[in-house]
Amino acid sequence: MKDKFNREINYARISVTDRCNLRCRYCMPECGVKKLSHADILTLEEILRVSKLFSRLGVKKFRITGGEPLLRRNLPSLIRDMKKISGIEQINLTTNGVLLKNLAPELISAGLDGINLSLDTFDEKNFANLTRRRLFSHVLEGFQALLKQNFKNLKINCVPLRGVNENELLKLANLARNNFIKVRFIELMPIGCAWESGLRGIPTAEIFSTLERNFGKLLPVYDKNPLKGPAKYFKLPNFIGEIGFIDAMEHKFCGNCNRIRLTAEGFLKTCLSFDLGLDVKKLLRSDANDDEISEKIREVVYNKPREHFFNDVNKFHDSRLMNQVGG
Ligand code: SAM
Ligand code: SF4
């Protein structure tokens, strides 16, 4: 499906819960968020139905996210069912890794194609401070379990933060030296609790030059895959893995944006920066049939905004937190 700027929309991020077992300072308030009732969030059957509709409309790649998606019961069976939908080429997951060690085998056998593990720090104390939970050892075990199983598509997501993990970025990048993984640095966006937490991001350009100073020249990796995301990947000398950068603030990638988002409450968001979209849950629970719902989705996606306005607080408006939207 295309929007009015002729962008092909083929990628959907689906949040399966807004609950989380961490409280990352840039994402969630310490007290957590108001708990949604069971009836407020989409059932697994409803998520499956929307995935089928998205797929009919040309979505080929899905990302399961949250909140913390591994808190959602029966997630592996949802993935298994989604994998059977014809036209879906990839189903990936973004997780904080706390529950990964136990769930990894089931997720992998359900057919999960890729895992992005969010890991901002390798320091236990720093982790407890940033996430407000003492669960670093669980994440580490989850990470090690994936490495042991040689999981083929593993990415580490790190949000570089001034004075917090600044002195660990080389160590994190170094994970790609001997492992076939991608270590990605994602610029902090002014979403969720980022601003009021007092945390400040580090611009991509600065990290780029620190890595080059220490590890040698970063050579771009070209990828013509139409399903690729906004990250730009690079090789470093003597590294078997890759380094990625997502610089949403410095360089907008809206011109190539191919994504839509479905919140756990079943709201279809057409741009991270706006509250524009469609209450899909309401339609799913009405007597509208698949064709009618598809048509509504197509219409709303057609009107996807041209670009985000994170740099302009007067234009940027969505009060949802990142754990509600799924990143
Ligand atoms: N709980 C899962 C996790 O942490 O991986 C999935 C949901 S989380 C909202 C998805 C991603 O969004 C994480 O990698 C997190 O670091 C990132 N994120 C959250 N708030 C952010 C912000 N303000 N700017 C940039 N990335 C952010
Ligand atoms: Fe939870 Fe992920 Fe947000 Fe951290 S970034 S609070 S792990 S949803």
Side-chain angles (χ1 to χ4, degrees):
M1 102 189 104
K2 291 217 171 173
D3 70 1
K4 65 175 169 222
F5 303 107
N6 208 29
R7 292 174 296 193
E8 186 69 48
I9 310 302
N10 52 23
Y11 176 26
R13 298 175 68 99
I14 297 192
S15 169
V16 292
T17 177
D18 66 341
R19 291 170 50 217
C20 192
N21 40 13
L22 299 183
R23 292 285 179 274
C24 302
R25 290 179 186 279
Y26 52 73
C27 177
M28 247 186 162
E30 183 157 23
C31 57
V33 286
K34 195 171 143 261
K35 210 173 161 214
L36 295 172
S37 75
H38 260 310
D40 289 333
I41 63 167
L42 294 187
T43 63
L44 295 185
E45 291 72 25
E46 287 169 333
I47 295 174
L48 193 63
R49 184 172 171 208
V50 186
S51 306
K52 282 181 189 155
L53 297 180
F54 281 170
S55 154
R56 260 176 42 175
L57 289 164
V59 175
K60 297 185 167 66
K61 177 175 165 186
F62 286 78
R63 176 165 300 281
I64 310 287
T65 175
E68 174 45 39
L70 299 187
L71 287 173
R72 184 78 196 241
R73 253 200 260 160
N74 297 327
L75 189 69
S77 87
L78 172 69
I79 292 168
R80 188 167 281 114
D81 290 341
M82 284 175 69
K83 285 292 286 187
K84 291 180 196 144
I85 301 173
S86 82
I88 294 188
E89 293 178 14
Q90 257 185 57
I91 303 178
N92 300 322
L93 172 86
T94 299
T95 173
N96 63 28
V98 171
L99 300 172
L100 198 52
K101 186 181 167 204
N102 289 339
L103 282 168
E106 245 191 295
L107 291 165
I108 296 170
S109 78
L112 189 67
D113 295 292
I115 296 181
N116 287 8
L117 173 62
S118 303
L119 187 62
D120 297 330
T121 169
F122 244 93
D123 178 272
E124 202 162 355
K125 257 200 192 148
N126 241 357
F127 183 92
N129 179 35
L130 188 61
T131 67
R132 304 184 179 108
R133 295 290 183 271
R134 296 185 179 281
L135 292 168
F136 177 68
S137 60
H138 292 65
V139 180
L140 193 58
E141 282 173 10
F143 176 51
Q144 285 163 345
L146 289 180
L147 288 182
K148 221 173 178 175
Q149 292 181 47
N150 284 324
F151 185 71
K152 60 181 183 324
N153 187 3
L154 174 59
K155 296 178 188 141
I156 300 291
N157 281 351
C158 166
V159 179
L161 299 164
R162 186 74 75 201
V164 176
N165 57 4
E166 199 169 350
N167 59 1
E168 288 190 70
L169 301 180
L170 291 174
K171 190 174 170 188
L172 284 156
N174 214 21
L175 291 171
R177 185 187 290 273
N178 297 317
N179 298 301
F180 279 106
I181 63 175
K182 292 179 173 149
V183 176
R184 311 180 334 151
F185 295 103
I186 303 175
E187 271 179 352
L188 182 70
M189 291 178 273
I191 311 180
C193 302
W195 201 248
E196 62 264 35
S197 66
L199 296 169
R200 297 293 173 259
I202 304 176
T204 291
E206 189 179 322
I207 300 165
F208 198 95
S209 49
T210 307
L211 294 189
E212 286 206 321
R213 244 191 344 268
N214 287 275
F215 294 138
K217 194 151 182 52
L218 282 155
L219 296 172
V221 177
Y222 294 103
D223 182 358
K224 292 220 154 66
N225 183 347
L227 295 177
K228 75 178 169 49
K232 292 194 191 103
Y233 291 103
F234 296 82
K235 279 286 209 190
L236 275 168
N238 306 318
F239 276 52
I240 61 174
E242 291 175 15
I243 304 293
F245 297 95
I246 300 184
D247 50 353
M249 298 304 293
E250 290 294 309
H251 298 102
K252 280 189 177 183
F253 34 72
C254 305
N256 296 323
C257 184
N258 58 351
R259 61 185 59 190
I260 49 177
R261 296 176 162 83
L262 186 70
T263 70
E265 283 178 285
F267 186 81
L268 171 64
K269 254 176 86 70
T270 49
C271 174
L272 191 52
S273 134
F274 294 93
D275 57 4
L276 295 173
L278 177 71
D279 187 347
V280 177
K281 179 175 70 188
K282 199 164 158 195
L283 288 169
L284 292 170
R285 295 181 185 177
S286 72
D287 48 17
N289 65 31
D290 283 357
D291 289 342
E292 288 161 345
I293 302 177
S294 291
E295 215 26 63
K296 285 267 183 230
I297 294 173
R298 191 197 298 280
E299 218 176 280
V300 164
V301 171
Y302 183 77
N303 288 308
K304 180 175 159 70
R306 182 200 290 266
E307 57 192 346
H308 73 63
F309 286 106
F310 291 149
N311 293 319
D312 183 344
V313 279
N314 297 317
K315 290 183 183 160
F316 167 56
H317 47 81
D318 189 354
S319 56
R320 290 181 182 87
L321 293 171
M322 200 62 156
N323 70 296
Q324 294 170 301
V325 174

